[in-house]
Amino acid sequence: MRDLFMDEFAVSLLVQELGLIIYQFTQQNLPACKPVLSPVWVVQIVYRYDVECVPALYRSNKLAYIKDNSIPKNCSKSLKIRWLPLELKICFQLVFMRDAHGFLANSKLMKAPIYIYYQLDNYYQNHRRYVKSRSDRQLLHGLKHHDLSSCAPEDFNHGLPVVPCGLIAWSLFNDTYSFFRGIDEMKVNRKNIAWKSDRDHKFGKQVYPFNFQNGTLSGGAHLDPKIPLSDQEDLIVWMRTSALPTFRKLYGRIEEDLDADDIITVKLLNNYNTYSFTGSKKLVLSTSSWLGGHNNFLGMACISVGVSFIFVAFVFMLIHVKNPRPYGDTTNLSWNWKPMSG
Amino acid sequence: MGIGSMSPIPMLSRDSSVCSQSVIQQYLIVMKIQGRSHMKLNHQMRLPLLLQPGSSALNSSKEHKQVYVKELDPVSGKFIERSYKLLNVLEFNSSRKRMSVIVRDEEGKLLLLSKGADSVMFERLAKNGREYEEETREHVHEYADAGLRTLILAYRELSEEEYKAFNEKFSEAKNSVSADREALIDDVTEEIEQDLILLGATAVEDKLQQGVPECIDKLAQAGIKIWVLTGDKMETAINIGYACSLLRQGMKQITITLDAPEIIALEKMGEKNAIAKASKQSVLRQITEGKNQVATSSTEAFALIIDGKSLAYALDDDVKKLFLELAIGCASVICCRSSPKQKALVTRLVKEGTKKTTLAIGDGANDVGMLQEADIGIGISGVEGMQAVMSSDIAIAQFRFLERLLLVHGHWCYRRISSMICYFFYKNVTFGFTVFLYEAHASFSGQPAYNDWFLSLYNVFFTSLPVIAMGVFDQDVSARFCLKFPLLYQEGVQNVLFRWRRIIGWMLNGVCSAVIIFFFCIQALNLQGFNKDGKIAEYQILGATMYTCVVWVVNCQMALAISYFTLIQHIFIWGGIALWYLFLLAYGAMPQSISTTAYKVFVESLAPTPSFYIVTIFVVISALVPYFVYKAIQMRFFPMYHGIIQWIRYEGWSDDPEYCNMVRQRSIRPTTVGYTARSLARTNPLDGIQNHR
């Protein structure tokens, strides 16, 4: 009896609900997602610092400056976040995106997270000899792996194996940046900048740097021998070699929003020697959208390819209307261009 | 159709009242003994009066030496079976031009039965055996004129002693192992084959196989020039020419023979050098005259008919160029009475003189030389034995299949192979050029753009099957249209699909695709963050993305280029692309030591990132634009012949006869042979005024 009642109750509920749906349907009032296509700003600041960070005294001989360990490499620069400043380049990208909040809902100019990249130009990280100069097995197994032939000449030092061995690790980028808004230092998150698979499967959790940068010639950064390789994310990012000679690498993230007209002071250590090969160093701050960072190319190329399509179609249409070709017109057959032999 | 022609003659053996029966009887005996091996299958003999149609004239005998003939006794009106014991067979050869058998009939009489060409048989008749000679000669001439093959039959009774003497000599000659064995046998047989009594003549029609005229007509429309090289007599050959529309009334025939009276007179005198000199001069004069004729008239169609004797001189080194020029000027060429070697020589002359592709088709052992000499030799498997088939490149069962072989399969194969090769170039240029461009960005250090396994498997898995499917299945135009518009075959003859322009065009297309893929990829991916997490597209991601684009572009290009889409094509093309993603997944899931740079690249980096897909779509579309525009322009403004036909089919005009004629009209030129041309010539008053026969 009770079951029956329950059933009836359920049925009546169902009818009620159905009625509601039908009502909504007939009134064209069904719940719906209401996408609005609105552009997303991707803001990017690129700042080239390798020239300004050399004291005027050494401008004529940058190489001597960067090689001299006795000179402090500290350098302080200020970036102004604002619309199209003259000294800085702020670029933006128009990207169409479903955004329920409507057009430019974010009043902040640079919305967290803001990614910090360093960019190297004319740096052939994709050179075959350079790319080869590593030992994946050593990175994973550490000292247990002995065959370091691929790492030469950075394989052994003072008769002991180098961990991580090879030229890539040896030339690890070692400029550092810290950011200040006013006098407050902004927090830069340097975790989670490498791919997870690299951290978990390519760099050993039990492998610690050993005998690293102990040679007479130091290529770049030193590593803390107490931290296992899997946590040395700078190294992991660096070891994933770039595709092209101009490349950026992720340095960290600023997890605060930046407003227009904020002035950010960057304190940087200009350690890395790009002067020997006339490379350049740039610091890049960029936000990211679902399409990644700022890139005009894709949008422009899409538009130009589309425009060329329309143009070709238009020309075809014109020719078709003005000068239709009769059916079966064989005058253009290739063998009618010249008299047929035989 | 076959006509068994009976001269009103003879009297063989006991039964003088049965006249022509004996002829047949004898003919059948000889045929039977020979196993008909030298006769064409299509000799359909109707034996009027004597044998009921369909009744088996020959009962096969298990015992080889005994021949049974079932014949109709005209007196009693019943069939009687008679048996003959076969004693000797004097084999046929081309110098003897006859064949004889010696049999013993039921009454113990010895008979020599002989059949052969008229030229050798008439001179062997006995004085008393020439009763019907005049009549028979007339008949033979008549039959030959009607395109029939003639044989003279004669017999002779042998006495026991005569036979015994002959048999001894004959077996001695047969058993000799000296080099002149043949000559010995010939001498012995020559002796016995004398004083024959003429029985009459038979004539058998060389029935054309089914569909031969239609086939020749289509081939002629396709712009193929047809030469007939036959061993038949001139009259027969001309007749066959008419039957298959190679000749028509109104065609001017240039006949080159050595039947001029002065040469015959010289032959009688038997001076070899003088004959050769006179003959050569005569041939040369006739050829020059013919050439002048051809040169002066541009509207008329000419036919060249040359016999074997003249051909021997025409093929001399100093004459053959002239001869070839004359032959090229003629719509059809018939070489009759030609030996196997001459057939081969003519084929070589055409092949080397014109630098064109030659095809020889034949069914007999005497066609072997020609089949081997020609670029393409096609053997017809039939009754004539297997020699032709065994020495041919392609064997077909009937002549008319040549039409489909050339016009349909020939066209398709040409197109398939040329497209396949071009496409192979294209896809490897596209792939290789992206690697090269990357190399230029890696300071030419030899660092490949892609993972090693990507490089290796490109031609094996991801792009090979569609090409193979194209090379096997593609059809630009269906078989029906290939046959309907034979001129389509000219695409192969003119080599429009595999000329350098097209090959280089495809390569340029490949370069163009590669440049678009490479630069669009690096411009779209390099420097800025790749995904929402701000990660960068480095070596592994760029390589995998670019490779994805290459696989897509190359396969989609195939989809654009192909004109015959079946399920197989769909499976191969889209399957090839799907296979790439599957491979990337599987390969990336392997341990890092195996997959190296591809480790988890799809699962972790590419698959969750929208820009990967957007870049892929964009690059694929952009890379295909040049070809697409080119193809649209070509189809619209400069269509190739198959394009026009595709268009017709698409617009549904294919059954409109007027319209089809318009498209087809280009294929009928005044010199074309075939019955279409003949009917056209009939309606066209300009042609066909003169009749040379």
Side-chain angles (χ1 to χ4, degrees), chain A residues 115 117 126-128 196-197 201 240 243 245-246 248 288 293-295 301 309 325 327-328 330 332 334 336, chain B residues 438 441 443 445 496 523-524 526 528-529 531-534 538 540 599 604 618 625 636-637 647 651 659 666:
Chain A
Y115 296 96
Y117 302 95
N126 58 2
H127 195 283
R128 192 171 60 95
K196 191 171 180 303
S197 67
H201 301 288
R240 193 148 169 152
T246 299
R248 286 180 193 166
S288 188
H294 155 83
N295 189 344
F309 261 57
R325 205 170 60 100
Y327 282 124
T330 55
N332 284 322
S334 60
N336 290 332
Chain B
Y438 182 79
H441 284 76
S443 93
S445 60
V496 288
Q523 289 297 320
N526 198 32
Q528 90 279 10
N531 61 8
K532 193 149 180 21
D533 290 340
E538 16 51 13
Q540 334 190 341
Y599 183 63
E604 190 182 32
F618 168 69
V625 168
R636 176 72 205 159
F637 302 108
W647 196 0
E651 303 257 345
Y659 181 51
R666 309 277 329 173

Side-chain angles (χ1 to χ4, degrees), chain B residues 387-428:
Chain B
Q387 282 94 337
V389 169
M390 284 189 296
S391 57
S392 63
D393 303 313
I394 301 165
I396 55 179
Q398 289 184 29
F399 183 83
R400 70 191 164 106
F401 297 155
L402 187 63
E403 177 185 358
R404 203 179 158 83
L405 179 70
L406 290 186
L407 298 187
V408 179
H409 294 286
H411 173 74
W412 281 350
C413 281
Y414 168 68
R415 185 181 163 75
R416 284 167 183 169
I417 292 173
S418 55
S419 309
M420 190 178 82
I421 294 171
C422 286
Y423 186 80
F424 253 107
F425 280 132
Y426 165 79
K427 83 183 172 83
N428 282 307

